[in-house]
Amino acid sequence: GLLLGIAQALSMPVAGLVDAAVAAASAGFPGERLLHVDLGLRRAVVTEIRQGASLVRERVARLDRWGLDEVHDAEMRGAAAAFVRQSRFDPLHDAATEQALFDRLPPWLAALERDERATWRLPFAAGEATIEVTRSEAEAWTARFAEELAQQASVFKRAGEPLTVLLSAHAARLPGLAGRLAATRGVEVVL
């Protein structure tokens, strides 16, 4: 309703609204059934879509216990703990270094998707803290979220049937999620 109100206020003609999962599936993928996994600020959503003459949203599982806010918080706490453990520097002790960590963390985590380990440097008033972080360490910070989403996706999987899982951009950034899903026999993950 809010989106329609904004569009109307801007005199934007609206022909209709499409569910994000259905829109993601519109490119066409192998198989009759697809799953779409997405993360919002306050929830995670797994949507089952049936392909045929048209796309039909079959079932939706909403995980309202957590979302991107909780994932980012877990990443911040994990990274801060790594700095404390390796360099005795606590980036959460000062607002400026906390903000610097928050700003640097997304590209640092993205680099760990490509490389097994990375060196992170965080400047602060008296110098610079340097630590080394592994991909598996970063995945451990948010493992409970990735595991819960992978389990929810497995509820929709039928034994012996191949399944394509579409990950939204937000879900794809959850460390370890794509790997957990791809490890399931018969599952193909598409970002």
Side-chain angles (χ1 to χ4, degrees):
L2 181 60
L3 182 60
L4 287 175
I6 293 170
Q8 185 178 20
L10 295 172
S11 301
M12 292 174 58
V14 177
L17 296 175
V18 177
D19 180 87
V22 173
S26 66
F29 296 92
E32 180 184 343
R33 292 175 48 248
L34 304 171
L35 288 185
H36 180 265
V37 178
D38 194 13
L39 285 178
L41 284 178
R42 305 269 189 279
R43 74 178 52 97
V45 181
V46 179
T47 306
E48 179 184 28
I49 301 163
R50 184 173 32 89
Q51 298 185 104
S54 61
L55 295 172
V56 178
R57 187 177 74 174
E58 293 286 324
R59 296 183 290 174
V60 177
R62 290 174 38 151
L63 305 171
D64 291 323
R65 292 177 301 283
W66 56 270
L68 284 171
D69 280 348
E70 289 78 12
V71 169
H72 292 156
D73 185 56
E75 291 170 340
M76 285 286 290
R77 283 184 282 110
F83 271 100
V84 169
R85 190 173 54 258
Q86 292 184 39
S87 70
R88 296 184 175 259
F89 171 71
D90 183 0
L92 302 183
H93 183 69
D94 176 70
T97 56
E98 182 176 351
Q99 186 63 51
L101 177 62
F102 181 83
D103 293 342
R104 287 173 169 82
L105 202 49
W108 284 347
L109 291 171
L112 281 175
E113 290 175 20
R114 295 182 308 271
D115 303 318
E116 180 58 37
R117 64 180 53 249
T119 301
W120 294 355
R121 291 178 175 79
L122 190 63
F124 60 96
E128 180 179 80
T130 303
I131 64 171
E132 187 141 316
V133 179
T134 65
R135 181 184 306 139
S136 61
E137 181 180 6
E139 287 176 359
W141 301 337
T142 56
R144 71 181 183 96
F145 304 121
E147 181 60 31
E148 188 172 356
L149 267 178
Q151 285 178 354
Q152 187 60 57
S154 73
V155 169
F156 289 98
K157 172 114 173 57
R158 295 179 185 151
E161 179 183 291
L163 182 65
T164 301
V165 178
L166 309 175
L167 289 184
S168 73
H170 291 300
R173 284 189 217 110
L174 179 57
L177 177 60
R180 285 177 191 268
L181 291 167
T184 305
R185 175 177 281 173
V187 170
E188 178 186 351
V189 176
V190 177
L191 307 179

Tab-separated table of all heavy atoms in Angstrom, residues 82-124:
chain	number	residue	atom	x	y	z
A	82	ALA	N	37.360	-11.032	16.654
A	82	ALA	CA	38.601	-11.440	15.985
A	82	ALA	C	39.683	-10.374	16.192
A	82	ALA	O	40.850	-10.708	16.429
A	82	ALA	CB	38.352	-11.678	14.498
A	83	PHE	N	39.306	-9.087	16.106
A	83	PHE	CA	40.281	-8.022	16.348
A	83	PHE	C	40.783	-8.072	17.787
A	83	PHE	O	41.985	-7.935	18.040
A	83	PHE	CB	39.684	-6.648	16.031
A	83	PHE	CG	39.858	-6.227	14.605
A	83	PHE	CD1	38.822	-6.355	13.693
A	83	PHE	CD2	41.068	-5.714	14.160
A	83	PHE	CE1	38.986	-5.982	12.371
A	83	PHE	CE2	41.252	-5.328	12.840
A	83	PHE	CZ	40.201	-5.471	11.943
A	84	VAL	N	39.886	-8.271	18.740
A	84	VAL	CA	40.289	-8.327	20.146
A	84	VAL	C	41.229	-9.515	20.371
A	84	VAL	O	42.272	-9.389	21.017
A	84	VAL	CB	39.056	-8.415	21.066
A	84	VAL	CG1	39.466	-8.739	22.496
A	84	VAL	CG2	38.269	-7.115	21.015
A	85	ARG	N	40.856	-10.678	19.835
A	85	ARG	CA	41.640	-11.897	20.039
A	85	ARG	C	43.039	-11.797	19.421
A	85	ARG	O	44.026	-12.188	20.035
A	85	ARG	CB	40.877	-13.090	19.445
A	85	ARG	CG	41.437	-14.441	19.782
A	85	ARG	CD	40.551	-15.593	19.304
A	85	ARG	NE	40.217	-15.536	17.888
A	85	ARG	CZ	39.039	-15.119	17.383
A	85	ARG	NH1	38.073	-14.722	18.178
A	85	ARG	NH2	38.829	-15.094	16.083
A	86	GLN	N	43.120	-11.243	18.212
A	86	GLN	CA	44.408	-11.235	17.515
A	86	GLN	C	45.256	-9.995	17.773
A	86	GLN	O	46.481	-10.059	17.678
A	86	GLN	CB	44.179	-11.368	16.000
A	86	GLN	CG	43.641	-12.715	15.589
A	86	GLN	CD	43.525	-12.826	14.075
A	86	GLN	OE1	44.381	-12.344	13.338
A	86	GLN	NE2	42.458	-13.463	13.618
A	87	SER	N	44.628	-8.856	18.044
A	87	SER	CA	45.407	-7.621	18.175
A	87	SER	C	45.174	-6.876	19.486
A	87	SER	O	45.783	-5.835	19.712
A	87	SER	CB	45.086	-6.677	17.015
A	87	SER	OG	43.764	-6.173	17.155
A	88	ARG	N	44.269	-7.393	20.308
A	88	ARG	CA	43.889	-6.752	21.573
A	88	ARG	C	43.238	-5.394	21.366
A	88	ARG	O	43.124	-4.592	22.294
A	88	ARG	CB	45.077	-6.630	22.522
A	88	ARG	CG	45.619	-7.955	22.965
A	88	ARG	CD	46.727	-7.745	23.979
A	88	ARG	NE	47.178	-9.022	24.489
A	88	ARG	CZ	46.814	-9.525	25.651
A	88	ARG	NH1	45.988	-8.871	26.427
A	88	ARG	NH2	47.263	-10.682	26.051
A	89	PHE	N	42.800	-5.119	20.149
A	89	PHE	CA	42.118	-3.864	19.836
A	89	PHE	C	40.624	-4.142	19.689
A	89	PHE	O	40.222	-5.026	18.932
A	89	PHE	CB	42.675	-3.255	18.544
A	89	PHE	CG	41.868	-2.081	18.060
A	89	PHE	CD1	41.909	-0.874	18.747
A	89	PHE	CD2	41.062	-2.194	16.942
A	89	PHE	CE1	41.157	0.201	18.312
A	89	PHE	CE2	40.315	-1.113	16.502
A	89	PHE	CZ	40.362	0.093	17.182
A	90	ASP	N	39.796	-3.388	20.412
A	90	ASP	CA	38.346	-3.548	20.330
A	90	ASP	C	37.750	-2.419	19.492
A	90	ASP	O	37.617	-1.284	19.968
A	90	ASP	CB	37.723	-3.538	21.729
A	90	ASP	CG	36.222	-3.782	21.711
A	90	ASP	OD1	35.642	-3.961	20.611
A	90	ASP	OD2	35.624	-3.798	22.797
A	91	PRO	N	37.360	-2.712	18.237
A	91	PRO	CA	36.825	-1.654	17.383
A	91	PRO	C	35.453	-1.150	17.834
A	91	PRO	O	35.015	-0.081	17.401
A	91	PRO	CB	36.743	-2.317	16.013
A	91	PRO	CG	36.739	-3.768	16.269
A	91	PRO	CD	37.471	-3.980	17.552
A	92	LEU	N	34.773	-1.876	18.718
A	92	LEU	CA	33.454	-1.443	19.181
A	92	LEU	C	33.551	-0.498	20.385
A	92	LEU	O	32.542	0.013	20.859
A	92	LEU	CB	32.591	-2.660	19.538
A	92	LEU	CG	32.374	-3.676	18.413
A	92	LEU	CD1	31.454	-4.788	18.878
A	92	LEU	CD2	31.842	-3.010	17.156
A	93	HIS	N	34.768	-0.250	20.840
A	93	HIS	CA	34.977	0.612	22.004
A	93	HIS	C	34.813	2.093	21.654
A	93	HIS	O	34.516	2.912	22.519
A	93	HIS	CB	36.374	0.359	22.588
A	93	HIS	CG	36.646	1.147	23.829
A	93	HIS	ND1	36.002	0.896	25.021
A	93	HIS	CD2	37.479	2.194	24.064
A	93	HIS	CE1	36.428	1.745	25.933
A	93	HIS	NE2	37.326	2.543	25.380
A	94	ASP	N	34.995	2.446	20.400
A	94	ASP	CA	34.947	3.838	19.957
A	94	ASP	C	33.994	3.946	18.770
A	94	ASP	O	34.023	3.103	17.866
A	94	ASP	CB	36.369	4.278	19.555
A	94	ASP	CG	36.397	5.676	19.002
A	94	ASP	OD1	36.190	6.629	19.781
A	94	ASP	OD2	36.606	5.815	17.782
A	95	ALA	N	33.163	4.965	18.755
A	95	ALA	CA	32.159	5.119	17.690
A	95	ALA	C	32.804	5.220	16.302
A	95	ALA	O	32.295	4.654	15.332
A	95	ALA	CB	31.295	6.340	17.958
A	96	ALA	N	33.926	5.918	16.211
A	96	ALA	CA	34.572	6.101	14.905
A	96	ALA	C	35.100	4.778	14.353
A	96	ALA	O	34.936	4.479	13.161
A	96	ALA	CB	35.700	7.114	15.005
A	97	THR	N	35.744	3.979	15.197
A	97	THR	CA	36.265	2.697	14.703
A	97	THR	C	35.140	1.690	14.492
A	97	THR	O	35.232	0.847	13.600
A	97	THR	CB	37.329	2.106	15.647
A	97	THR	OG1	36.783	1.980	16.958
A	97	THR	CG2	38.584	2.964	15.666
A	98	GLU	N	34.072	1.782	15.276
A	98	GLU	CA	32.914	0.916	15.037
A	98	GLU	C	32.322	1.213	13.662
A	98	GLU	O	31.998	0.308	12.895
A	98	GLU	CB	31.860	1.119	16.124
A	98	GLU	CG	30.651	0.216	15.945
A	98	GLU	CD	29.652	0.336	17.079
A	98	GLU	OE1	29.949	0.981	18.111
A	98	GLU	OE2	28.556	-0.227	16.931
A	99	GLN	N	32.206	2.497	13.328
A	99	GLN	CA	31.690	2.878	12.015
A	99	GLN	C	32.641	2.444	10.910
A	99	GLN	O	32.206	1.965	9.859
A	99	GLN	CB	31.458	4.388	11.939
A	99	GLN	CG	30.791	4.841	10.652
A	99	GLN	CD	29.394	4.271	10.498
A	99	GLN	OE1	28.578	4.362	11.400
A	99	GLN	NE2	29.108	3.683	9.346
A	100	ALA	N	33.934	2.574	11.143
A	100	ALA	CA	34.923	2.138	10.150
A	100	ALA	C	34.813	0.638	9.909
A	100	ALA	O	34.873	0.177	8.759
A	100	ALA	CB	36.337	2.507	10.606
A	101	LEU	N	34.646	-0.137	10.976
A	101	LEU	CA	34.464	-1.583	10.825
A	101	LEU	C	33.188	-1.885	10.047
A	101	LEU	O	33.187	-2.708	9.131
A	101	LEU	CB	34.426	-2.260	12.195
A	101	LEU	CG	34.167	-3.766	12.204
A	101	LEU	CD1	35.275	-4.501	11.461
A	101	LEU	CD2	34.037	-4.281	13.635
A	102	PHE	N	32.104	-1.210	10.393
A	102	PHE	CA	30.818	-1.403	9.707
A	102	PHE	C	30.961	-1.111	8.212
A	102	PHE	O	30.434	-1.849	7.380
A	102	PHE	CB	29.752	-0.501	10.337
A	102	PHE	CG	28.405	-0.637	9.713
A	102	PHE	CD1	27.552	-1.662	10.095
A	102	PHE	CD2	27.972	0.258	8.736
A	102	PHE	CE1	26.289	-1.798	9.517
A	102	PHE	CE2	26.727	0.132	8.157
A	102	PHE	CZ	25.879	-0.907	8.552
A	103	ASP	N	31.666	-0.044	7.864
A	103	ASP	CA	31.835	0.346	6.461
A	103	ASP	C	32.728	-0.617	5.690
A	103	ASP	O	32.498	-0.876	4.512
A	103	ASP	CB	32.429	1.760	6.373
A	103	ASP	CG	31.474	2.831	6.883
A	103	ASP	OD1	30.256	2.560	6.991
A	103	ASP	OD2	31.960	3.940	7.213
A	104	ARG	N	33.761	-1.151	6.334
A	104	ARG	CA	34.719	-2.027	5.652
A	104	ARG	C	34.275	-3.483	5.591
A	104	ARG	O	34.730	-4.242	4.737
A	104	ARG	CB	36.079	-1.946	6.355
A	104	ARG	CG	36.820	-0.647	6.094
A	104	ARG	CD	38.081	-0.564	6.946
A	104	ARG	NE	38.943	0.529	6.563
A	104	ARG	CZ	38.786	1.787	6.958
A	104	ARG	NH1	37.794	2.107	7.750
A	104	ARG	NH2	39.628	2.714	6.555
A	105	LEU	N	33.417	-3.899	6.489
A	105	LEU	CA	33.066	-5.306	6.598
A	105	LEU	C	32.458	-5.905	5.325
A	105	LEU	O	32.875	-6.995	4.908
A	105	LEU	CB	32.135	-5.521	7.801
A	105	LEU	CG	32.062	-6.917	8.374
A	105	LEU	CD1	33.435	-7.516	8.632
A	105	LEU	CD2	31.237	-6.919	9.661
A	106	PRO	N	31.508	-5.245	4.641
A	106	PRO	CA	30.956	-5.863	3.421
A	106	PRO	C	32.006	-6.182	2.347
A	106	PRO	O	32.042	-7.306	1.844
A	106	PRO	CB	29.914	-4.846	2.943
A	106	PRO	CG	29.500	-4.144	4.190
A	106	PRO	CD	30.766	-4.040	5.021
A	107	PRO	N	32.910	-5.251	1.995
A	107	PRO	CA	33.911	-5.626	0.995
A	107	PRO	C	34.898	-6.679	1.508
A	107	PRO	O	35.376	-7.515	0.744
A	107	PRO	CB	34.618	-4.315	0.640
A	107	PRO	CG	34.233	-3.331	1.675
A	107	PRO	CD	32.959	-3.807	2.290
A	108	TRP	N	35.204	-6.645	2.791
A	108	TRP	CA	36.086	-7.666	3.360
A	108	TRP	C	35.450	-9.048	3.246
A	108	TRP	O	36.105	-10.017	2.861
A	108	TRP	CB	36.381	-7.367	4.820
A	108	TRP	CG	37.369	-6.267	5.071
A	108	TRP	CD1	38.202	-5.671	4.157
A	108	TRP	CD2	37.646	-5.634	6.310
A	108	TRP	NE1	38.966	-4.709	4.757
A	108	TRP	CE2	38.645	-4.665	6.089
A	108	TRP	CE3	37.129	-5.782	7.592
A	108	TRP	CZ2	39.155	-3.860	7.098
A	108	TRP	CZ3	37.637	-4.979	8.610
A	108	TRP	CH2	38.640	-4.030	8.361
A	109	LEU	N	34.182	-9.151	3.588
A	109	LEU	CA	33.485	-10.444	3.498
A	109	LEU	C	33.350	-10.892	2.052
A	109	LEU	O	33.464	-12.083	1.746
A	109	LEU	CB	32.121	-10.364	4.179
A	109	LEU	CG	32.163	-10.213	5.700
A	109	LEU	CD1	30.775	-9.918	6.250
A	109	LEU	CD2	32.760	-11.447	6.354
A	110	ALA	N	33.122	-9.940	1.145
A	110	ALA	CA	33.040	-10.285	-0.282
A	110	ALA	C	34.368	-10.856	-0.767
A	110	ALA	O	34.400	-11.795	-1.568
A	110	ALA	CB	32.644	-9.054	-1.102
A	111	ALA	N	35.467	-10.309	-0.297
A	111	ALA	CA	36.788	-10.820	-0.683
A	111	ALA	C	36.979	-12.249	-0.179
A	111	ALA	O	37.614	-13.068	-0.844
A	111	ALA	CB	37.896	-9.909	-0.149
A	112	LEU	N	36.411	-12.570	0.981
A	112	LEU	CA	36.533	-13.929	1.515
A	112	LEU	C	35.705	-14.937	0.713
A	112	LEU	O	35.927	-16.136	0.828
A	112	LEU	CB	36.124	-13.976	2.991
A	112	LEU	CG	37.171	-13.497	3.969
A	112	LEU	CD1	36.614	-13.480	5.390
A	112	LEU	CD2	38.431	-14.347	3.903
A	113	GLU	N	34.762	-14.473	-0.078
A	113	GLU	CA	34.033	-15.385	-0.965
A	113	GLU	C	34.966	-15.885	-2.068
A	113	GLU	O	34.795	-16.985	-2.572
A	113	GLU	CB	32.823	-14.682	-1.581
A	113	GLU	CG	31.722	-14.386	-0.582
A	113	GLU	CD	30.593	-13.582	-1.188
A	113	GLU	OE1	30.451	-13.568	-2.429
A	113	GLU	OE2	29.835	-12.970	-0.415
A	114	ARG	N	35.956	-15.070	-2.451
A	114	ARG	CA	36.901	-15.441	-3.503
A	114	ARG	C	38.138	-16.133	-2.950
A	114	ARG	O	38.672	-17.046	-3.567
A	114	ARG	CB	37.340	-14.184	-4.262
A	114	ARG	CG	36.258	-13.483	-5.036
A	114	ARG	CD	36.821	-12.284	-5.795
A	114	ARG	NE	37.593	-11.372	-4.963
A	114	ARG	CZ	37.092	-10.341	-4.286
A	114	ARG	NH1	35.816	-10.093	-4.328
A	114	ARG	NH2	37.866	-9.558	-3.576
A	115	ASP	N	38.624	-15.657	-1.817
A	115	ASP	CA	39.875	-16.151	-1.245
A	115	ASP	C	39.602	-16.853	0.083
A	115	ASP	O	38.688	-16.474	0.812
A	115	ASP	CB	40.847	-14.992	-1.018
A	115	ASP	CG	41.121	-14.224	-2.303
A	115	ASP	OD1	41.293	-14.868	-3.359
A	115	ASP	OD2	41.143	-12.980	-2.249
A	116	GLU	N	40.430	-17.820	0.404
A	116	GLU	CA	40.257	-18.600	1.641
A	116	GLU	C	40.603	-17.780	2.882
A	116	GLU	O	40.062	-18.010	3.946
A	116	GLU	CB	41.134	-19.858	1.575
A	116	GLU	CG	41.042	-20.733	2.795
A	116	GLU	CD	39.638	-21.229	3.108
A	116	GLU	OE1	38.875	-21.526	2.168
A	116	GLU	OE2	39.298	-21.313	4.307
A	117	ARG	N	41.500	-16.817	2.742
A	117	ARG	CA	41.897	-16.000	3.890
A	117	ARG	C	42.202	-14.586	3.420
A	117	ARG	O	42.505	-14.362	2.248
A	117	ARG	CB	43.073	-16.600	4.648
A	117	ARG	CG	44.374	-16.700	3.906
A	117	ARG	CD	45.514	-17.314	4.741
A	117	ARG	NE	45.171	-18.593	5.318
A	117	ARG	CZ	44.988	-18.834	6.635
A	117	ARG	NH1	45.138	-17.892	7.512
A	117	ARG	NH2	44.677	-20.035	7.069
A	118	ALA	N	42.124	-13.655	4.365
A	118	ALA	CA	42.380	-12.254	4.026
A	118	ALA	C	42.978	-11.542	5.231
A	118	ALA	O	42.750	-11.932	6.378
A	118	ALA	CB	41.098	-11.560	3.601
A	119	THR	N	43.736	-10.498	4.952
A	119	THR	CA	44.282	-9.642	5.996
A	119	THR	C	43.429	-8.386	6.059
A	119	THR	O	43.188	-7.749	5.027
A	119	THR	CB	45.743	-9.272	5.686
A	119	THR	OG1	46.499	-10.487	5.592
A	119	THR	CG2	46.327	-8.375	6.766
A	120	TRP	N	42.954	-8.079	7.249
A	120	TRP	CA	42.116	-6.900	7.457
A	120	TRP	C	42.884	-5.885	8.295
A	120	TRP	O	43.465	-6.223	9.319
A	120	TRP	CB	40.823	-7.265	8.164
A	120	TRP	CG	39.895	-8.150	7.377
A	120	TRP	CD1	40.044	-8.575	6.097
A	120	TRP	CD2	38.670	-8.724	7.846
A	120	TRP	NE1	38.983	-9.366	5.733
A	120	TRP	CE2	38.128	-9.480	6.790
A	120	TRP	CE3	37.990	-8.686	9.052
A	120	TRP	CZ2	36.927	-10.168	6.898
A	120	TRP	CZ3	36.797	-9.361	9.171
A	120	TRP	CH2	36.265	-10.098	8.100
A	121	ARG	N	42.884	-4.638	7.831
A	121	ARG	CA	43.554	-3.547	8.548
A	121	ARG	C	42.512	-2.496	8.902
A	121	ARG	O	41.779	-2.032	8.045
A	121	ARG	CB	44.641	-2.936	7.681
A	121	ARG	CG	45.812	-3.851	7.462
A	121	ARG	CD	46.868	-3.228	6.538
A	121	ARG	NE	48.035	-4.073	6.444
A	121	ARG	CZ	48.106	-5.157	5.667
A	121	ARG	NH1	47.079	-5.501	4.918
A	121	ARG	NH2	49.211	-5.887	5.636
A	122	LEU	N	42.509	-2.115	10.163
A	122	LEU	CA	41.551	-1.116	10.638
A	122	LEU	C	42.312	-0.001	11.340
A	122	LEU	O	42.900	-0.217	12.407
A	122	LEU	CB	40.547	-1.771	11.588
A	122	LEU	CG	39.350	-0.926	11.994
A	122	LEU	CD1	38.494	-0.584	10.767
A	122	LEU	CD2	38.503	-1.665	13.020
A	123	PRO	N	42.334	1.195	10.736
A	123	PRO	CA	43.040	2.313	11.374
A	123	PRO	C	42.245	2.842	12.580
A	123	PRO	O	41.024	2.789	12.600
A	123	PRO	CB	43.118	3.365	10.275
A	123	PRO	CG	42.047	3.015	9.306
A	123	PRO	CD	41.773	1.559	9.439
A	124	PHE	N	42.976	3.323	13.566
A	124	PHE	CA	42.363	3.985	14.717
A	124	PHE	C	43.293	5.106	15.150
A	124	PHE	O	44.368	5.269	14.570
A	124	PHE	CB	42.054	2.989	15.846
A	124	PHE	CG	43.244	2.262	16.398
A	124	PHE	CD1	43.891	2.703	17.539
A	124	PHE	CD2	43.715	1.102	15.773
A	124	PHE	CE1	44.981	2.012	18.045
A	124	PHE	CE2	44.799	0.411	16.283
A	124	PHE	CZ	45.442	0.872	17.428
